[in-house]
């Protein structure tokens, strides 16, 4: 009787170990699959962000190496800041920035808010008077003495919502 009791206890212990092993190995496999799936999702989102970054930088002075070669004698960061400050300095005029190609509406003048140097010749800028917004495409030149001049190519003032 004692031998049969030990035999039954041994069989029960073996079965418990088999079921425990099966449970924890299945749980580990599920976690591995879940982590692989999550990792793939993160890889995909990282790839999307990288592609968006490449698209964004390809239309900028920093991403256009041919345009950078045009300015080989300048420090690119200093040059961009110089051009930016030169354009923004026209915001101080009482009539507003003359390169946005828009006249004042009442007391509100149009000023440039943001800009992006697209290449060695063009700038895309956003402007507003606080209630109306627009965009302007500018051509810029850097003279031999380092002065920056601008020329308006085209501008667009978004229609106001009349609702």
């Amino acid at each position: 009787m004692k031998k049969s009791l030990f035999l039954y206890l041994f069989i029960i212990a073996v079965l418990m170990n088999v079921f425990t092993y099966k449970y924890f190995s299945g749980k580990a496999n599920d976690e591995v699959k879940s982590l692989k799936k999550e990792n793939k999702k993160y890889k995909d989102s990282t790839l999307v962000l990288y592609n968006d970054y490449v698209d964004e930088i390809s239309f900028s002075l920093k991403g256009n190496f041919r345009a950078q070669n045009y300015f080989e004698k300048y420090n690119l960061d200093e040059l961009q800041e110089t051009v930016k400050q030169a354009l923004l300095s026209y915001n101080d005029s009482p009539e507003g920035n003359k390169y946005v190609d828009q006249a004042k509406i009442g007391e509100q003048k149009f000023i440039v808010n943001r800009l992006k140097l697209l290449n060695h010749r063009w700038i895309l800028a956003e402007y507003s008077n606080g209630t109306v917004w627009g965009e302007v495409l500018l051509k810029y030149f850097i003279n031999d003495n380092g002065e920056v001049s601008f020329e308006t190519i085209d501008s667009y003032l978004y229609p106001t919502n009349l609702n």
Side-chain angles (χ1 to χ4, degrees):
M1 169 93 172
K2 208 174 192 184
K3 280 187 175 182
S4 343
L5 179 64
F6 284 124
L7 181 64
Y8 288 131
L9 287 175
F10 178 74
I11 292 172
I12 290 172
V14 168
L15 286 173
M16 293 277 292
N17 283 336
V18 167
F19 287 128
T20 303
Y21 172 77
K22 182 70 175 160
Y23 171 76
F24 283 113
S25 66
K27 186 175 178 182
N29 287 339
D30 289 344
E31 286 179 9
V32 166
K33 286 179 185 175
S34 173
L35 288 174
K36 282 183 180 179
K37 188 175 183 181
E38 216 170 293
N39 192 19
K40 183 179 180 342
K41 180 178 76 173
Y42 289 136
K43 270 187 178 178
D44 290 346
S45 61
T46 303
L47 185 61
V48 167
L49 288 173
Y50 175 75
N51 288 337
D52 288 348
Y53 171 74
V54 168
D55 288 345
E56 176 68 24
I57 201 166
S58 65
F59 284 102
S60 70
L61 184 57
K62 284 195 175 205
N64 187 335
F65 299 110
R66 291 179 193 96
Q68 289 177 14
N69 288 338
Y70 185 81
F71 291 125
E72 64 187 354
K73 64 181 178 179
Y74 295 101
N75 177 323
L76 206 57
D77 292 328
E78 290 176 9
L79 175 83
Q80 286 184 329
E81 188 62 27
T82 300
V83 172
K84 178 180 178 181
Q85 292 307 320
L87 182 60
L88 293 178
S89 69
Y90 290 100
N91 287 348
D92 297 334
S93 168
E95 295 300 312
N97 195 315
K98 66 182 181 180
Y99 293 108
V100 299
D101 206 25
Q102 299 294 329
K104 270 175 74 170
I105 298 178
E107 293 297 313
Q108 298 172 322
K109 64 181 183 176
F110 284 98
I111 61 171
V112 172
N113 300 316
R114 299 187 296 160
L115 60 106
K116 181 175 183 175
L117 276 72
L118 298 177
N119 57 25
H120 64 290
R121 191 58 64 215
W122 297 333
I123 297 174
L124 183 62
E126 175 194 75
Y127 64 90
S128 77
N129 68 356
T131 56
V132 183
W133 300 85
E135 294 176 351
V136 62
L137 182 63
L138 299 168
K139 193 183 276 192
Y140 72 99
F141 306 94
I142 300 178
N143 304 338
D144 291 335
N145 59 2
E147 290 181 18
V148 183
S149 60
F150 301 96
E151 178 184 316
T152 303
I153 296 173
D154 200 5
S155 70
Y156 182 77
L157 187 63
Y158 291 104
T160 58
N161 191 1
L162 300 175
N163 292 341

